[in-house]
């Protein structure tokens, strides 16, 4: 669904002769997403980082990094540079940290770069109290504020002393004041301005503050300088006013800050990255060369482990940004830029995806989304993601993308040709991994018509009700879904002629992270995690659903917290869609015993998690009906949250509980851990807790069960075990059976579990994964040693279940070793 304000956009397009700034080319900038660096991420780690000397060092580091030759030229100063106000009430630098800001900008320019600066709407209290004369006018700063004083931006306090005071742009001198501020910034030589705390947005999504007039004033002031100055408005802007952001700025921040800002031990983490993919669904049609760019915030991918992301997660982050045509700007410390970032951002094929200026649209959503971007030359970029933590086999059918077959497929990250691909493309993708392809399509396929089921036609329970929604299909939507495991639901009666797997489009809306949880014919619930910028403008995402011939029921709700608002569903296809081969079970929908309780968690799947359990076997989380079609070994992904060391005990089908020690730095962001489990055909019971007194278990977000998968190119075996009884060194040997070198191989995970659970024996690998293995030529083998600590209660004849996951070629080749090993 597109929002209903298209006529206003058409009108704006028709007024370009009257409003020369009504496109992404406003301010003479915005022709392509910009590339560069911002100081803010590093500022969250080091409060003293923002100094002139450090900015010079970052500029010099960018020049020598190799990235500048590939388009990375912006050096942007974020919040904290300002010290006081000049004789005209304009912000000026802190002379202790920035003794000569023009000299800094001159240095940046001499390095062949562009310089950016940060400021906010409104006017700060010291500038008002000083009642300074506004440059070139008869007015003073007290003449232009709203009286009584009102909030000037989202950072403001409550009146009567908001500190950030609102400017009344109907008053003479108001525009002239902004003109004078921008003229000062321009005189220093700045090429970029970030205007922060803009509303509607920035957690203030109504018109109580309303900075729309400020954004217009800043844009007009930039135009008066005659210089091409980029304007970004920030942050988490409301999509309801997208036409304003499009008319007067070059980019808008569609998300919250990507940085942890002290809420975790690293710059960022995976849940903050994946939220960008969710948020972009609602904004995907609001961006482009004539509309401005969706800014997903800083790419914290260059500081090694300090980023808080694995290389696979960094690859996925860069892919998300690139296919969205988001500005790509690094955070962290450029003087310590790691090899991964240097390799990625000197890959011109990868940079070309972002710089094409043709943002992708989502074709399939859910935990394994597919995005596509049609290029001017007829080629198509296709991004495949695995947002689960366990490796999965993913298949994309080209007909779902609108063409019959692929004449050629190229791997963008590895810069290699994969050949033709008739009908479908299948690959195994690591947990939190991705593939980025450039496809040459052949033939066209028309999308099949779908059957629409409006929200107002559903059967409602509890507090869920139909509300008006002018942009929605049928003019209505469902509100107050969820926040209950048993009620506040909506049930659709869906009819299909033949049994099979169909494509279900879900049109829903949210501002910030929310989730819809749905069940089909009373089966296991599935979770559709979402983000977005509006509760008034529906976004469409499509997932596979398996239906019976005849009548079916599909029920939407959320057992842990409020769901997104729901407009409609559309069922399409002929039953041959590709079903998911995994099942996720939300902890908040499980059976909770004792003190176990549900809590809110905005970064968790479904928006909730379970805590306050363990400290005795009576306090546990039970998944009573984990169902698989065939007996055998499966991957069990457990998504948990913790700050510090905690231990799970996992019991399958009433077997002995296996301990699993985990660590973390935050309770607000789930982390996956994988272990192999043996399951019966049909229903299985999995219990998670901690029976030890005082032994609280980690917070539990969800579990996911899927098949053990891997490619045939990479195989592995344990080839040697040496050392004393309690500190063994296990040698893992990887063999490349493919027809090309396996570049940059890694051991992604290495997990050991005693088969004699409950005896007190445990085996703990000492080295953190992932571990580099190196490149492996065709037919060759390379080995890596893993030290393993065994507890004193282990015996020589004990056996262990091993699961090792390994990969090469930026995750394009994935292997999995599941074996039973002796001491």
């Amino acid at each position: 669904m597109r929002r209903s304000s298209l006529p206003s956009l058409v009108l704006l397009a028709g007024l370009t002769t009257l409003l020369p700034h009504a496109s992404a080319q406003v301010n003479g900038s915005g022709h392509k997403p910009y590339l560069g660096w911002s100081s803010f991420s590093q500022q969250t780690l080091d409060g003293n980082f923002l100094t002139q000397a450090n900015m010079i060092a970052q500029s010099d580091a960018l020049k020598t990094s190799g990235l500048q030759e590939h388009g990375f030229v912006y050096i942007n100063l974020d919040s904290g540079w300002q010290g006081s106000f000049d004789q005209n009430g304009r912000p000026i630098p802190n002379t202790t940290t920035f003794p000569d800001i023009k000299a800094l900008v001159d240095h940046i320019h001499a390095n062949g770069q562009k310089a950016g600066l940060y400021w906010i709407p409104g006017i700060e209290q010291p500038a008002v109290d000083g009642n300074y004369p506004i440059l070139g006018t008869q007015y003073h700063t007290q003449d232009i504020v709203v009286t009584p004083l009102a909030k000037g931006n989202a950072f403001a306090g409550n009146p009567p002393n908001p500190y950030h005071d609102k400017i009344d742009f109907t008053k003479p001198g108001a525009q002239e004041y902004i003109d004078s501020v921008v003229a000062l910034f321009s005189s220093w030589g700045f090429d970029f301005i970030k205007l922060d705390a803009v509303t509607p947005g920035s957690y203030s999504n109504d018109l109580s503050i309303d900075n729309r007039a400020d954004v217009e004033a800043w844009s007009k002031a930039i135009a008066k300088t005659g210089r091409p100055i980029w304007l970004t408005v920030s942050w988490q802007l409301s999509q309801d006013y997208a036409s304003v952001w499009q008319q007067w700025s070059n980019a808008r921040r569609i998300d919250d800050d990507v940085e942890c800002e002290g809420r975790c031990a690293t710059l960022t983490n995976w849940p903050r990255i994946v939220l960008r993919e969710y948020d972009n669904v609602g904004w995907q049609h609001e961006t482009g060369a004539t509309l401005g760019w969706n800014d997903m915030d800083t790419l914290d991918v260059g500081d090694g482990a300090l980023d808080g992301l694995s290389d696979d997660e960094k690859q996925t982050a860069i892919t998300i940004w690139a296919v969205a045509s988001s500005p790509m700007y690094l955070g962290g410390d450029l003087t310590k830029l790691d090899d991964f970032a240097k390799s990625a951002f000197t890959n011109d094929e990868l940079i070309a995806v972002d710089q094409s200026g043709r943002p992708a649209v989502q074709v399939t959503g859910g935990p394994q989304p597919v995005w596509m971007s049609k290029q001017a030359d007829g080629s198509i970029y296709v991004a495949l993601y695995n947002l689960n933590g366990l490796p999965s086999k993913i298949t994309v059918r080209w007909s779902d993308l609108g063409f019959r077959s692929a004449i050629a497929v190229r791997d963008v990250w590895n810069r290699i040709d994969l050949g033709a691909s008739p009908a479908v493309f299948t690959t195994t993708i690591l947990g939190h991994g991705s593939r980025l392809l450039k496809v040459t399509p052949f033939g066209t396929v028309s999308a099949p018509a779908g059957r629409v089921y409006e929200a107002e036609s559903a059967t409602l329970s509890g507090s869920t009700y139909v509300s008006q929604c002018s942009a929605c299909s049928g003019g209505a939507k469902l509100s107050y879904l969820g926040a209950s495991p048993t009620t506040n639901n909506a049930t659709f009666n869906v009819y299909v002629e033949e049994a099979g797997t169909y494509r279900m489009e879900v049109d829903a809306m949210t501002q910030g992270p929310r989730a819809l949880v749905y069940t089909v014919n009373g089966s296991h619930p599935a979770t559709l995690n979402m983000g977005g910028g509006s509760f008034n403008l529906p976004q469409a995402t499509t997932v596979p659903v398996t239906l019976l011939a005849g009548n079916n029921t599909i029920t939407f709700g959320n057992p842990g917290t409020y769901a997104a608002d729901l407009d409609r569903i559309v069922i399409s296809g002929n039953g041959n869609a590709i079903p998911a081969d995994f099942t996720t079970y939300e902890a908040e929908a499980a059976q909770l015993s004792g003190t176990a309780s549900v809590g809110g968690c905005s970064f968790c799947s479904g928006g909730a998690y379970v805590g306050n359990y363990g400290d005795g076997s009576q306090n546990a989380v039970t998944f009573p009906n984990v169902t698989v079609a065939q007996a055998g070994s499966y991957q069990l992904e457990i998504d948990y949250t913790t700050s510090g060391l905690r231990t799970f005990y996992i019991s399958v089908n009433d077997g002995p509980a296996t301990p699993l020690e985990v660590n973390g730095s935050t309770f607000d962001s789930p982390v996956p851990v994988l272990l192999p489990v043996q399951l019966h055909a049909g229903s299985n019971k999995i219990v998670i807790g901690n029976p030890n007194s005082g032994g609280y278990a980690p917070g539990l977000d969800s579990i996911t069960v899927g098949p053990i998968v891997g490619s045939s190119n990479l195989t592995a075996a344990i080839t040697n075990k040496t050392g004393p009884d309690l500190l063994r060194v296990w040698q893992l040997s990887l063999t490349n059976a493919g027809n090309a070198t396996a570049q940059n191989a890694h051991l992604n995970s290495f997990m050991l579990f005693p088969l004699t659970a409950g005896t007190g024996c445990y085996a703990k690998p000492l080295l953190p994964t992932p571990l580099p293995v190196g490149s492996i030529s065709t037919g060759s083998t390379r080995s890596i040693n893993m030290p393993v600590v065994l507890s004193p209660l282990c015996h020589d004849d004990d056996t262990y279940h091993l699961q090792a996951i390994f990969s090469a070629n930026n995750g394009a080749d994935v292997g999995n070793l599941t074996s039973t090993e002796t001491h």
Side-chain angles (χ1 to χ4, degrees):
M1 285 290 295
R2 290 297 309 278
R3 55 200 196 87
S4 63
S5 56
L6 182 59
S8 65
L9 295 180
V10 174
L11 176 62
L12 289 175
L15 292 177
T16 52
T17 55
L18 300 177
L19 294 173
H21 308 305
S23 76
Q25 316 317 319
V26 65
N27 315 321
S29 294
H31 304 286
K32 292 182 179 181
Y34 79 87
L35 308 173
W37 173 87
S38 169
S39 68
F40 183 70
S41 292
Q42 190 65 20
Q43 288 178 245
T44 67
L45 299 179
D46 179 1
N48 298 315
F49 177 71
L50 192 66
T51 67
Q52 184 162 333
N54 284 338
M55 296 308 98
I56 288 173
Q58 296 300 308
S59 173
D60 292 346
L62 179 61
K63 184 177 180 179
T64 60
S65 68
L67 274 61
Q68 189 165 325
E69 291 82 354
H70 300 268
F72 285 78
V73 295
Y74 279 84
I75 295 287
N76 293 342
L77 285 60
D78 211 89
S79 176
W81 61 269
Q82 187 255 354
S84 59
F85 295 87
D86 71 5
Q87 68 274 14
N88 297 114
R90 302 179 296 179
I92 55 175
N94 180 335
T95 55
T96 300
T97 52
F98 289 91
D100 190 341
I101 199 162
K102 188 177 187 308
L104 167 62
V105 176
D106 288 345
H107 184 92
I108 292 171
H109 286 166
N111 276 341
Q113 301 157 356
K114 297 185 178 183
L117 197 65
Y118 169 103
W119 198 237
I120 49 178
I123 180 171
E124 291 193 344
Q125 198 64 51
V128 177
D129 292 342
N131 199 27
Y132 297 106
I134 295 171
L135 189 67
T137 76
Q138 60 183 320
Y139 304 105
H140 292 73
T141 52
Q142 290 182 8
D143 297 329
I144 64 172
V145 295
V146 170
T147 54
L149 295 179
K151 292 182 177 183
N153 57 55
F155 293 149
N158 291 321
N161 300 304
Y163 188 81
H164 300 271
D165 298 339
K166 187 171 182 60
I167 295 175
D168 184 347
F169 285 98
T170 67
K171 292 184 175 181
Q175 178 66 56
E176 289 81 358
Y177 173 73
I178 300 300
D179 292 347
S180 72
V181 173
V182 173
L184 180 62
F185 293 172
S186 178
S187 73
W188 296 337
F190 280 100
D191 311 287
F192 171 104
I193 296 172
K194 172 184 172 181
L195 197 64
D196 203 13
V198 172
T199 76
S202 305
Y203 298 153
S204 178
N205 295 313
D206 55 27
L207 296 176
S208 59
I209 299 175
D210 193 1
N211 292 128
R212 291 177 295 172
D214 297 82
V215 173
E216 179 180 349
W218 278 79
S219 190
K220 288 179 175 178
I222 289 172
K224 291 173 184 176
T225 69
R227 295 184 61 243
I229 299 175
W230 181 294
L231 179 63
T232 284
V233 290
S234 179
W235 80 99
Q236 204 179 50
L237 273 296
S238 171
Q239 190 188 345
D240 293 337
Y241 306 97
S243 61
V244 176
W245 321 134
Q246 291 163 352
Q247 181 178 357
W248 298 112
S249 67
N250 304 108
R252 82 290 303 179
R253 276 272 308 281
I254 67 171
D255 302 278
D256 193 357
D257 289 352
V258 75
E259 298 87 4
C260 286
E261 298 175 54
R263 289 169 288 178
C264 75
T266 50
L267 278 172
T268 188
N269 57 24
W270 169 253
R272 287 169 166 80
I273 296 298
V274 74
L275 180 59
R276 271 68 190 160
E277 194 274 339
Y278 301 153
D279 279 328
N280 196 42
V281 178
W283 285 91
Q284 62 185 330
H285 299 296
E286 306 288 6
T287 180
T290 61
L291 300 175
W293 309 107
N294 291 337
D295 186 338
M296 294 185 171
D297 205 10
T298 318
L299 264 173
D300 289 320
V301 297
D303 271 15
L306 187 59
D307 294 325
L309 303 169
S310 69
D311 284 357
D312 305 306
E313 291 168 340
K314 293 178 186 183
Q315 177 176 318
T316 298
I318 295 169
T319 302
I320 290 171
W321 266 247
V323 299
S325 289
S326 170
M328 295 202 299
Y329 48 102
L330 298 172
D333 186 349
L334 292 177
T335 67
K336 301 176 181 177
L337 194 66
D338 64 25
D339 291 340
F340 175 88
K342 290 178 181 178
S343 175
F345 296 120
T346 56
N347 179 347
D348 287 330
E349 291 189 36
L350 177 60
I351 301 303
V353 181
D354 179 78
Q355 295 294 287
S356 72
R358 291 174 170 262
V361 296
Q362 192 188 77
V363 178
T364 301
Q368 296 178 343
V370 178
W371 291 71
M372 65 177 291
S373 169
K374 295 181 179 179
Q375 298 300 297
D377 64 359
S379 65
I380 298 175
Y381 289 119
V382 179
L384 313 176
Y385 303 106
N386 179 20
L387 306 183
N388 289 329
L390 49 79
S392 292
K393 184 170 289 186
I394 296 177
T395 297
V396 59
R397 182 174 282 124
W398 298 132
S399 59
D400 291 336
L401 278 62
F403 54 94
R404 295 209 319 252
S405 64
I407 297 173
V409 178
R410 184 167 175 82
D411 184 319
V412 173
W413 274 90
N414 291 302
R415 288 176 277 191
I416 57 174
D417 293 322
L418 304 179
S421 175
V424 298
F425 180 86
T426 299
T427 182
T428 298
I429 299 183
L430 291 163
H432 299 176
S434 59
R435 298 287 306 271
L436 179 56
L437 311 173
K438 187 173 185 179
V439 176
T440 303
F442 175 79
T444 58
V445 177
S446 299
R451 184 168 182 176
V452 175
Y453 297 85
E454 296 287 356
E456 53 269 31
S457 72
T459 301
L460 310 184
S461 69
S463 301
T464 300
Y465 66 92
V466 177
S467 59
Q468 291 184 340
C469 172
S470 60
C472 293
S473 173
K477 66 175 182 176
L478 299 182
S479 299
Y480 283 90
L481 277 163
S484 170
T486 58
T487 188
N488 301 339
N489 296 324
T491 299
F492 295 85
N493 294 311
V494 172
Y495 179 85
V496 294
E497 291 285 348
E498 297 181 4
T501 301
Y502 291 78
R503 289 172 61 82
M504 177 174 70
E505 176 187 321
V506 180
D507 292 358
M509 60 217 82
T510 177
Q511 193 141 25
R514 288 203 180 189
L516 285 161
V517 180
Y518 58 94
T519 60
V520 180
N521 296 323
S523 63
H524 303 298
T527 302
L528 180 58
N529 292 299
M530 298 178 59
S534 173
F535 273 108
N536 302 306
L537 305 173
Q539 55 180 279
T541 192
T542 299
V543 293
V545 290
T546 300
L547 303 175
L548 304 173
N551 293 314
N552 297 263
T553 59
I554 304 178
T555 300
F556 287 84
N558 187 312
T561 187
Y562 283 110
D565 288 358
L566 182 59
D567 173 18
R568 66 176 189 174
I569 63 172
V570 183
I571 305 296
S572 63
N574 55 12
N576 70 342
I578 301 166
D581 64 355
F582 61 89
T583 306
T584 296
Y585 303 82
E586 298 291 347
E588 59 269 25
Q591 293 178 358
L592 309 184
S593 59
T595 58
S597 60
V598 176
C601 173
S602 60
F603 288 115
C604 291
S605 175
Y609 78 137
V610 172
N612 300 318
Y613 70 106
D615 189 29
S617 57
Q618 72 278 10
N619 309 312
V621 182
T622 299
F623 300 88
N625 192 23
V626 175
T627 304
V628 295
Q630 297 177 335
S633 294
Y634 288 83
Q635 297 179 95
L636 173 64
E637 171 187 343
I638 302 176
D639 288 277
Y640 67 90
T641 68
T642 186
S643 181
L645 287 170
R646 290 200 176 191
T647 302
F648 287 117
Y649 282 75
I650 303 104
S651 172
V652 178
N653 293 327
D654 296 318
T658 298
L660 180 60
E661 185 181 78
V662 296
N663 203 350
S665 64
T666 176
F667 277 102
D668 81 351
S669 301
V671 176
V673 63
L674 305 180
L675 62 152
V677 291
Q678 293 293 124
L679 299 178
H680 305 318
S683 181
N684 297 263
K685 182 173 73 172
I686 296 178
V687 180
I688 299 178
N690 187 322
N692 299 316
S693 177
Y696 283 100
L700 184 59
D701 176 16
S702 63
I703 65 171
T704 299
V705 175
I708 294 173
V709 296
S711 68
S712 58
N713 286 348
L714 288 177
T715 60
I718 298 296
T719 53
N720 197 16
K721 299 167 188 170
T722 59
D725 286 346
L726 300 185
L727 181 57
R728 304 285 283 166
V729 176
W730 290 26
Q731 183 182 71
L732 178 74
S733 296
L734 274 63
T735 300
N736 176 15
N739 56 11
T741 299
Q743 301 284 351
N744 197 26
H746 279 77
L747 175 62
N748 297 84
S749 68
F750 190 95
M751 302 290 292
L752 281 171
F753 300 94
L755 292 179
T756 52
T759 64
C761 173
Y762 67 83
K764 183 178 180 180
L766 273 187
L767 298 180
T769 52
L771 290 172
V773 178
S775 296
I776 311 172
S777 59
T778 301
S780 297
T781 298
R782 292 197 66 160
S783 298
I784 186 170
N785 290 328
M786 175 62 76
V788 177
V789 172
L790 296 111
S791 68
L793 295 176
C794 295
H795 299 96
D796 288 347
D797 58 352
D798 283 338
T799 55
Y800 307 87
H801 204 127
L802 167 68
Q803 184 177 49
I805 297 170
F806 39 93
S807 65
N809 299 318
N810 294 303
D813 290 302
V814 179
N816 194 316
L817 171 64
T818 300
S819 64
T820 300
E821 302 289 338
T822 60
H823 181 267

